[in-house]
Amino acid sequence: MTDHESISIAALPVMGETAHQSYPSATLYVVATPIGNVTDISLRALHVLSLVNAVACEDTRNTAQLMTRFGLHKPLIAAHQHNEREVAETLIARLQAGERIALVSDAGTPAVSDPGARIVDAVRAAGLRVLPLPGASAAVTALSASGLVNDQFYFVGFLPAKAKQRENFLGTLRAVTATMVFYEAPHRILDCAGALAAVFEPEREVVFARELTKMFEEIHRCPLSEAEAWIKADAHREKGEFVVLLAGAPAAEDEQDLDAERILKILLSELPVKQAAGLAAQITGRKKNALYDRALQLRDEA
């Protein structure tokens, strides 16, 4: 990008639109922050952080550094997993006085495997407004680059740290057909891979997304049988924050679909394709077009 292009982007009309939007008082703003690359902050998030009376955050040191990089300085309130209930009371009192408060976590979207959910719950219960500002999420970022084709995903978050509890918990997920999304700490990533390999089929596809949006970002996809070897092949692969994606179980054939197929085969032995499909649709309640296509396949296979 040339200097001229940078200047042109800075002068775009959209850059000033944030100041003309509505930012109600007595509102808790749930603000997503970058998961690595600081420039992933949204324009609206920057404006809200410059506007609020205070910022409730997971770690005041981390948030202070982030705010400084944006040239912002606001009072910070520690709001972590050990004090959420108590802090919620303080925030509610300030919100009732008409203040605007931002809620952030160390990285990504608050209340998603991070502190914040109890605060949001308490603020809502008090009849106050909560306004979310969307942005970075490690889970969605990893999914978008995984190539795992599935219309559904199941967010698991962090697995239990103890081996037996982890194994038992994973056992409950064997039949899940959605892509599963796990978060894992670097010192447990090898244990995580081993546990997945012990519980699930070796041919299942797994994706390791490491250090997303950062300098040493790495996204690797392989069969589960190769996962541990891949991690062990390079010591650097046990460093950084991880999102682990596991392909879901193959969808089991629905009993009603099996019944429809059985009926269709019987009818095809006596009737033309179109008539057999139409009659099967009436009997089973299945869609006629789908049954017709299947009838053509069965006829060709015969």
Side-chain angles (χ1 to χ4, degrees):
M1 180 180 292
T2 66
D3 290 341
H4 176 70
E5 288 173 324
S6 297
I7 293 170
S8 298
I9 290 172
L12 287 175
V14 70
M15 302 298 282
E17 283 189 23
T18 54
H20 300 292
Q21 296 182 9
S22 174
Y23 301 95
S25 58
T27 298
L28 179 71
Y29 292 86
V30 182
V31 182
T33 54
I35 59 175
N37 191 319
V38 72
T39 61
D40 286 337
I41 190 77
S42 75
L43 297 179
R44 192 156 68 112
L46 280 176
H47 186 73
V48 165
L49 290 175
S50 72
L51 189 69
V52 295
N53 298 96
V55 179
C57 53
E58 185 177 0
D59 188 316
T60 55
R61 294 165 300 180
N62 290 341
T63 299
Q65 291 177 6
L66 183 66
M67 295 285 283
T68 298
R69 295 189 71 178
F70 298 140
L72 300 173
H73 302 278
K74 294 286 178 175
L76 302 179
I77 304 168
H80 46 73
Q81 62 178 338
H82 302 298
N83 73 346
E84 278 191 86
R85 293 295 185 192
E86 295 81 3
V87 170
E89 295 179 8
T90 301
L91 298 182
I92 288 169
R94 296 184 65 162
L95 291 168
Q96 289 172 334
E99 291 190 9
R100 300 179 181 91
I101 305 289
L103 173 66
V104 304
S105 60
D106 283 348
T109 302
V112 181
S113 272
D114 271 333
R118 290 184 178 86
I119 290 173
V120 171
D121 179 51
V123 169
R124 285 194 174 281
L128 294 160
R129 185 170 181 178
V130 177
L131 200 157
L133 273 67
S137 166
V140 175
T141 301
L143 277 166
S144 70
S146 70
L148 294 175
V149 182
N150 196 329
D151 291 335
Q152 298 179 322
F153 70 89
Y154 179 76
F155 181 73
V156 181
F158 287 96
L159 290 169
K162 294 184 178 179
K164 190 60 178 178
Q165 293 177 350
R166 184 167 55 233
E167 181 181 345
N168 290 340
F169 178 71
L170 288 173
T172 68
L173 303 177
R174 282 182 57 86
V176 173
T177 56
T179 297
M180 286 164 275
V181 184
F182 307 91
Y183 286 166
E184 194 52 273
H187 65 279
R188 286 202 299 264
I189 191 60
L190 197 55
D191 290 338
C192 173
L196 292 173
V199 174
F200 297 94
E201 303 85 355
E203 65 272 13
R204 288 253 197 143
E205 291 285 303
V206 64
V207 176
F208 295 97
R210 186 177 72 87
E211 292 289 83
L212 289 171
T213 77
K214 300 176 185 177
M215 182 179 296
F216 298 107
E217 175 182 277
E218 188 171 17
I219 302 173
H220 178 76
R221 176 173 163 178
C222 65
L224 197 48
S225 59
E226 301 174 8
E228 288 183 88
W230 178 78
I231 295 171
K232 291 177 179 178
D234 187 339
H236 289 95
R237 292 173 185 163
E238 293 186 60
K239 297 178 180 179
E241 298 299 320
F242 283 84
V243 180
V244 181
L245 310 176
L246 183 66
E253 287 190 274
D254 190 284
E255 289 185 8
Q256 291 181 320
D257 288 337
L258 293 174
D259 192 46
E261 177 113 348
R262 181 182 62 81
I263 292 170
L264 187 59
K265 287 180 179 178
I266 294 171
L267 294 173
L268 277 172
S269 66
E270 302 292 337
L271 300 170
V273 168
K274 186 174 182 180
Q275 192 174 353
L279 190 55
Q282 292 180 43
I283 296 170
T284 64
R286 292 310 204 216
K287 292 184 178 180
K288 182 178 178 180
N289 288 344
L291 288 170
Y292 180 77
D293 291 341
R294 181 56 181 153
L296 290 175
Q297 293 175 353
L298 291 171
R299 184 194 63 183
D300 294 340
E301 292 170 3

